[in-house]
Amino acid sequence: MNKFEQLGLNESLLLAIKDLGFENPSEVQEKAIPLLLEKDTDIVALAQTGTGKTAAFGFPLIQKIDAENRDTQALILSPTRELCLQITNEIKLYSKYIKGLNTVAIYGGASITEQANQIRRGAQIIVATPGRMQDMINRNMVNIKNINYCVLDEADEMLNMGFYEDITAILSDTPKEKSTWLFSATMPQEVARIAKEFMRKPLEITVGHKNSGNENVSHEFYLVSARDRYAALKRLADANPDIFSVVFCRTKRDTQAVAEKLIEDGYSAAALHGDLSQAQRDGVMKSFRGRQIQMLVATDVAARGIDVDDVTHVINYQLPDEVETYTHRSGRTGRAGKSGTSLVIITKSELRKITQIERIIKMKFEEKPIPSGIEICQIQLFHLANRIKDVEVDHEIDAYLPAIEEVLKDIPKEELIKKMVSVEFNRFINYYKKSRDLASDGGTRRESGTIPTDGAVRFFINIGSRDNFDWMTLKDFLKETLDLGRDDVFKVDVKEGFSFFNTDASLAPKVMDVLNAFSLQGRKINVEISKNEGGSNSRRRDHNGRGGDKRSGGGFRGDRNSRDDRNSRDDRRSGGNDRKPRRDSKFEGRKSGDNERRGRRNEGDSSNFFEKAKRSRRS
Ligand code: ADP
Ligand code: MG
């Protein structure tokens, strides 16, 4: 008898489990499945991400559903549409040998009538996001008045995203006599509140420590100055040639900008955030799962709960606002018993957050220096050499060999190796030859007195009237990008190719951090403390004495809603259908042809560099 059989699961599930290749139940499955099969009870199960919670509720749920009866018997609520689709998929796999069992996904951003039709055809299990579910209840498109089971998956995140009201409204539409199963990675107060208000004597299962970090994940941070954030990201990627990672940014805007920059620089990257259409998001996820994308740049909300195995690195391009969110981020790696690394790119002003996180995850961070250009080139070189050694030769190539040999016949072997390696490798040499190594003491530069700590600070920024800004639109842009109040940006002075503005000194680190990581229509924004004094105190007025908020025509208009996924969650009530992405996401990968082109373009004498690299390796 295998372990799953011992838990009491029936034949059709066991067959499906075999197909899935699960050999042993995970801890949460071992604890939850027998309990849930045995009796109808409420349950609160706390377990880290990646511990197999979907099957922990999915298996017993499927076994308890009456597939002959076409009424809706179970509702699973989950925070995002990605997760909703993921759970639906899993449930379908688990129940593939059970005839007549239908599972339907309900989520925003897709046709509500189509979803209603699917439900009308009979759906014993509905997997839904709260917003869309509420919508369908209001329109009488679903009937959950007779369900027997309600699962709240990722309850902490649903509440985090402000779904409390939706959840309580939905629950009040379900019968009193039912079982509620709550699954969560953490147990903040709001989750406890839901448990208290809507559940009857729930049994509690805890796997591992509450709120603890995943044991398989190691945590590292890299201290840089704000303006080096992107360069640091690039180096971390280059120092890990087989990287398969999720890169977290704080805002949708940064997410888009960083992804675009990576693509421009030849990486197979893509953005995932709430401004993309459903189809775009699905496309991105498909490419990521299929490994055509190596670096998925995402907002917290968009990436929450996404289950992609074998993610090697989570990169915190910026730390989240809430330190608790860090646990969710790092849980994207180190799944299913594999090890993973969570990297944090950080400036000195954020250092104290590391201590806070350490307290939550009960693990220590290791501080590491950003790899030097030489180190990276060595890593890449050996990686390349190994790839050449291991590559399987496709004998289709044989037909072309005579022609190739003809071209290369006069080059000695030694030289030929050098040339072959250079095809791929020159782009690294050329980049790192030119770029200075990043100081790991980044933040100290700021402390050494370049940013005053009180009074007003005057900034220089490399955008101006040529970019269609006037003082009002620039001020609006700064306020929106920096998330500042009406009077926080003042003395805005727009010149043709650049501009000046003031903020209070306390805002200066944020101004430098946020704006220097920002690209405007593909151009990297550069902000510096202006040597040009001008920080006098008239905060109320911009020049010309105009203080109003009226915009003049033209100029860049920020999208107020784009700062935070929460403002434009995919499935808020209505409107989800017609949201247009602001920009098309491009996600061409890093094709080998790209490298070649780059290599050729940058061809040059690399012998110096190899010499240097050799010397440094010896020492
Ligand atoms: P959670 O919801 O706890 O974050 P998931 O349910 O998404 O975790 O499962 C994480 C991954 O582990 C999935 O790829 C899933 O298919 C896999 N998995 C779940 N249970 C098992 C098991 N018993 N054996 C092997 N892999 C499993
Ligand atoms: Mg889950």
Side-chain angles (χ1 to χ4, degrees), residues 438-589:
L438 310 183
S440 63
D441 63 348
T444 51
R445 221 177 312 161
R446 173 188 305 149
E447 284 203 337
S448 67
T450 47
I451 296 186
T453 48
D454 56 34
V457 180
R458 189 138 183 90
F459 293 94
F460 160 93
I461 186 166
N462 64 335
I463 48 180
S465 58
R466 206 186 294 149
D467 307 287
N468 281 333
F469 282 104
D470 60 22
W471 71 267
M472 279 189 289
T473 50
L474 181 62
K475 186 172 172 175
D476 281 347
F477 165 72
L478 292 168
K479 280 188 324 198
E480 289 180 13
T481 309
L482 295 162
D483 200 11
L484 296 178
R486 219 187 65 190
D487 295 327
D488 288 339
V489 178
F490 50 102
K491 297 203 72 146
V492 180
D493 190 6
V494 175
K495 311 281 187 207
E496 194 186 343
F498 54 90
S499 309
F500 296 98
F501 64 94
N502 285 19
T503 73
D504 193 79
S506 63
L507 294 169
K510 182 174 185 183
V511 171
M512 299 288 281
D513 268 20
V514 174
L515 291 177
N516 280 318
F518 197 88
S519 292
L520 187 66
Q521 279 138 22
R523 190 145 68 87
K524 197 162 162 17
I525 285 187
N526 176 36
V527 175
E528 287 166 23
I529 306 280
S530 166
K531 291 175 195 84
N532 176 1
E533 273 310 313
S536 71
N537 291 322
S538 108
R539 302 196 41 145
R540 296 287 147 228
R541 298 173 164 247
D542 287 281
H543 51 191
N544 305 338
R546 292 192 288 181
D549 239 335
K550 260 187 237 127
R551 290 160 192 263
S552 61
F556 174 86
R557 293 273 163 89
D559 171 356
R560 267 174 208 284
N561 285 330
S562 71
R563 186 163 309 105
D564 188 334
D565 277 5
R566 275 165 223 208
N567 293 338
S568 58
R569 256 178 356 230
D570 49 279
D571 54 355
R572 293 315 292 171
R573 293 304 124 75
S574 54
N577 300 354
D578 50 23
R579 183 169 297 111
K580 293 270 187 325
R582 278 190 308 132
R583 280 180 241 177
D584 283 345
S585 82
K586 340 169 207 164
F587 40 89
E588 306 104 59

Side-chain angles (χ1 to χ4, degrees), residues 148-390:
N148 304 316
Y149 305 97
C150 181
V151 181
L152 305 174
D153 191 29
E154 310 261 9
D156 52 352
E157 189 56 21
M158 281 199 285
L159 294 168
N160 243 342
M161 289 171 59
F163 279 131
Y164 183 85
E165 262 105 53
D166 291 293
I167 293 172
T168 54
I170 292 165
L171 287 178
S172 64
D173 212 48
T174 61
K176 256 210 155 75
E177 293 302 315
K178 67 167 184 307
S179 302
T180 305
W181 304 348
L182 185 153
F183 283 75
S184 189
T186 59
M187 184 75 174
Q189 294 215 328
E190 303 82 56
V191 174
R193 185 164 144 217
I194 289 271
K196 193 157 165 262
E197 284 176 30
F198 292 95
M199 298 170 76
R200 286 167 306 170
K201 299 204 184 103
L203 299 174
E204 198 179 313
I205 291 176
T206 307
V207 171
H209 306 289
K210 280 182 198 176
N211 296 342
S212 80
N214 185 330
E215 307 272 306
N216 299 328
V217 179
S218 53
H219 305 264
E220 300 171 359
F221 73 85
Y222 295 82
L223 197 57
V224 298
S225 69
R227 64 144 75 99
D228 288 338
R229 225 182 257 279
Y230 178 77
L233 173 66
K234 225 162 113 54
R235 282 179 185 231
L236 292 173
D238 289 345
N240 294 283
D242 287 321
I243 197 167
F244 180 55
S245 72
V246 185
V247 180
F248 284 98
C249 296
R250 229 178 332 220
T251 65
K252 289 194 255 194
R253 227 178 227 165
D254 291 347
T255 303
Q256 185 69 34
V258 168
E260 283 177 10
K261 198 93 185 45
L262 284 170
I263 293 164
E264 219 170 86
D265 287 341
Y267 298 86
S268 49
L272 186 74
H273 55 68
D275 276 353
L276 303 180
S277 70
Q278 166 83 57
Q280 286 174 315
R281 286 164 79 167
D282 290 349
V284 168
M285 280 315 296
K286 190 152 170 263
S287 315
F288 188 54
R289 279 183 216 285
R291 304 287 196 279
Q292 289 98 309
I293 288 171
Q294 239 183 321
M295 301 176 82
L296 179 72
V297 190
T299 57
D300 286 297
V301 173
R304 174 65 169 131
I306 283 173
D307 162 44
V308 175
D309 288 341
D310 305 328
V311 167
T312 59
H313 294 75
V314 162
I315 302 182
N316 293 265
Y317 184 75
Q318 296 142 334
L319 276 177
D321 290 328
E322 307 272 329
V323 281
E324 286 78 12
T325 307
Y326 180 83
T327 321
H328 294 309
R329 288 184 174 185
S330 57
R332 300 297 109 229
T333 184
R335 296 170 77 79
K338 304 224 174 64
S339 63
T341 313
S342 176
L343 310 178
V344 179
I345 301 172
I346 197 176
T347 61
K348 196 148 194 179
S349 64
E350 304 168 296
L351 259 183
R352 68 196 152 71
K353 277 197 171 178
I354 292 286
T355 329
Q356 290 170 9
I357 293 171
E358 285 179 336
R359 235 176 278 137
I360 290 176
I361 61 175
K362 299 200 175 65
M363 284 171 89
K364 287 279 172 210
F365 274 83
E366 187 182 348
E367 178 175 3
K368 288 202 159 168
I370 294 286
S372 70
I374 287 180
E375 281 169 310
I376 289 171
C377 289
Q378 284 178 2
I379 292 170
Q380 287 288 348
L381 194 52
F382 290 122
H383 180 71
L384 182 57
N386 277 314
R387 262 178 58 207
I388 293 176
K389 181 164 95 39
D390 296 338

Side-chain angles (χ1 to χ4, degrees), residues 4 22-26 29 48-55 86 90 154 307 309 335-336:
F4 282 105
F22 293 3
E23 290 183 357
N24 291 303
S26 68
Q29 292 164 2
Q48 272 308 304
T49 44
T51 52
K53 292 192 287 295
T54 317
Q86 193 174 296
E90 293 265 311
E154 310 261 9
D307 162 44
D309 288 341
R335 296 170 77 79

Side-chain angles (χ1 to χ4, degrees), residues 419-436:
K419 279 181 179 286
M420 289 194 68
V421 168
S422 300
V423 166
E424 284 255 339
F425 192 58
N426 276 355
R427 80 182 181 109
F428 290 103
I429 297 178
N430 281 307
Y431 176 77
Y432 286 110
K433 213 162 33 182
K434 276 183 256 140
S435 89
R436 70 189 161 81

